[in-house]
Amino acid sequence: MRRVAIFGATGSIGGSTLDVIGRHPERFRATVLVAHRQVDALVALCERHRPELAIIADPALEPSLARGLAAAGVRCEVASGAAAISAAAAGDLCDTVVAAIVGAAGLDSTLAAARAGKRLLLANKESIVMAGPLLLAALREGGGELIPVDSEHNAIFQCLPGGRPDLAKSGVRRLILTASGGPFRGRKRAELADITPAQACAHPNWVMGRKISVDSATLMNKGLEVIEAHHLFGAPADVIEVLVHPQSLVHSMVDYADGSVLAQLGNPDMRTAIGHALAWPERVDTGVAPLDLAALAPLQFEPPDTDTFRCLALAFQALRAGGDAPAILNAANEVAVDAFLAGALGFLDIANLVESVLAELPAQGVVDVRTLVERDQTARAAARRILRHAC
């Protein structure tokens, strides 16, 4: 019986995780549920799954959560705030942590789970983008397991011998990450000047939150995944390639020196990767429909247009710069996407703002979490200042 803490329980990853858990009550139990501000949604999940601990990230909402749980007849411990989330990640109520808190806010709890030796199901790519060396060091210290839940990295994990081997010794030539291309695939810059948040969030294949949907539309999401692949699998930038695959059926591929290319395919449903990570090295039914290739053919592949979707090129630039450049990239992007969603920044200006911050803050070495957080805050301040002046 795996006892699972779900950080980001009311989001799309959380919902998919709970669906898989609900299909196998003899194997998995949701013992800790964490949400940001969605009190009613968290109460409903607790009523259904009966965790031992419910946490709301905003401390001001803890009384509302407690009242809601009491009214629903749910008896469990209630807590709030970032410290409570990190304590739960390291605590005895779980042996498995699904890290699905969006953005830099998920870093502390992800590190806490790694240090505590938990099985870490990583869906919060920003944590490893910001602090890849620190997270890997925490995993070595704690002796736990990291299994990626992003569909692309989970696909690579499945296509490599032993999950995360030495690539050179395993004969790996390339890691090929696939990208759907987002809702604006094929469009040129002149056609993207007046894009609205609603248009950017209308992903053709995946149901996702607003921030990650915008990142997919700009291809920054794929850029963050390139950096994540570098840290997860020890792959230099020149070994990582991105291919646009609009059907989202081939989730990623591994190219070997002997000419073999192994691919992981499946319908675009996050329950596949989540179920694999929960049950690994075994397999369980996730409720995902079998793949009917004959009905879905043909499959298309094309190179990404990095002149139009510049965020992907900026991510490669940050990866090659090394040090804390990926953290600077991530911080500037979070500010830019928030501004875009609020109507304060144009779609094409997301890349412009990120590029300006990267130019203003040259890469420094990653020393420790405190220094990294300070640099993250410096980058956010720079992005907001540039944004104010531009407006």
Side-chain angles (χ1 to χ4, degrees), residues 244-274:
V244 173
H245 168 54
Q247 291 79 24
S248 295
L249 299 177
V250 178
H251 298 301
S252 277
M253 296 173 273
V254 177
D255 175 26
Y256 287 90
D258 62 3
S260 299
V261 177
L262 301 187
Q264 188 268 334
L265 287 75
N267 284 309
D269 191 319
M270 286 304 300
R271 291 178 297 175
T272 299
I274 291 165

Side-chain angles (χ1 to χ4, degrees), residues 37-366:
R37 294 180 54 85
Q38 301 87 341
V39 170
D40 291 344
L42 182 57
V43 168
L45 292 177
C46 291
E47 190 172 8
R48 180 176 179 183
H49 295 279
R50 301 286 166 164
E52 297 175 43
L53 172 62
I55 304 176
I56 195 79
D58 186 346
L61 296 175
E62 183 177 342
S64 297
L65 176 60
R67 287 193 297 270
L69 291 171
V74 178
R75 299 181 63 182
C76 71
E77 187 180 348
V78 178
S80 64
I85 298 172
S86 294
D92 296 333
L93 293 181
C94 63
D95 53 59
T96 302
V97 172
V98 179
I101 295 174
V102 175
L107 176 59
D108 284 347
S109 55
T110 300
L111 288 170
R115 293 191 195 101
K118 303 302 173 75
R119 171 173 287 193
L120 178 60
L121 275 56
L122 186 65
N124 170 259
K125 63 175 62 67
E126 291 87 355
S127 291
I128 197 164
V129 167
M130 286 180 64
L134 301 179
L135 178 56
L136 295 177
L139 281 165
R140 289 192 295 270
E141 174 189 335
E145 302 168 314
L146 189 156
I147 303 179
V149 168
D150 267 348
S151 59
E152 295 80 3
H153 304 91
N154 184 264
I156 291 172
F157 184 91
Q158 293 191 50
C159 291
L160 288 172
R164 295 172 57 214
D166 181 288
L167 297 187
K169 292 180 180 177
S170 300
V172 172
R173 185 159 52 192
R174 289 179 301 163
L175 303 182
I176 305 170
L177 300 174
T178 57
S180 70
F184 309 129
R185 181 180 68 89
R187 299 198 198 183
K188 298 301 181 183
R189 289 182 62 81
E191 303 173 82
L192 300 176
D194 299 321
I195 291 299
T196 67
Q199 291 171 317
C201 290
H203 196 281
N205 299 334
W206 298 93
V207 177
M208 304 181 293
R210 283 163 62 82
K211 194 268 182 184
I212 192 173
S213 295
V214 174
D215 283 349
S216 180
T218 65
L219 291 193
M220 179 59 89
N221 188 53
K222 202 54 49 180
L224 297 177
E225 289 176 0
V226 166
I227 299 169
E228 183 179 1
H230 161 74
H231 290 301
L232 283 175
F233 304 112
D238 294 341
V239 172
I240 305 170
E241 183 177 327
V242 173
L243 273 181
V244 173
H245 168 54
Q247 291 79 24
S248 295
L249 299 177
V250 178
H251 298 301
S252 277
M253 296 173 273
V254 177
D255 175 26
Y256 287 90
D258 62 3
S260 299
V261 177
L262 301 187
Q264 188 268 334
L265 287 75
N267 284 309
D269 191 319
M270 286 304 300
R271 291 178 297 175
T272 299
I274 291 165
H276 170 265
L278 281 171
W280 183 82
E282 300 176 21
R283 302 270 180 172
V284 295
D285 177 16
T286 61
V288 177
L291 185 62
D292 187 345
L293 283 172
L296 295 168
L299 304 182
Q300 301 166 258
F301 300 92
E302 61 195 49
D305 178 0
T306 52
D307 291 329
T308 299
F309 300 96
R310 295 175 50 242
C311 285
L312 177 56
L314 290 172
F316 269 104
Q317 174 187 320
L319 175 56
R320 290 188 169 100
D324 63 6
I328 301 298
L329 172 99
N330 178 71
N333 181 66
E334 287 192 14
V335 172
V337 171
D338 283 347
F340 169 70
L341 289 171
L345 189 69
F347 181 78
L348 292 175
D349 291 324
I350 294 173
N352 294 336
L353 181 57
V354 173
E355 185 175 38
S356 296
V357 176
L358 284 171
E360 184 172 313
L361 299 173
Q364 297 181 5
V366 177

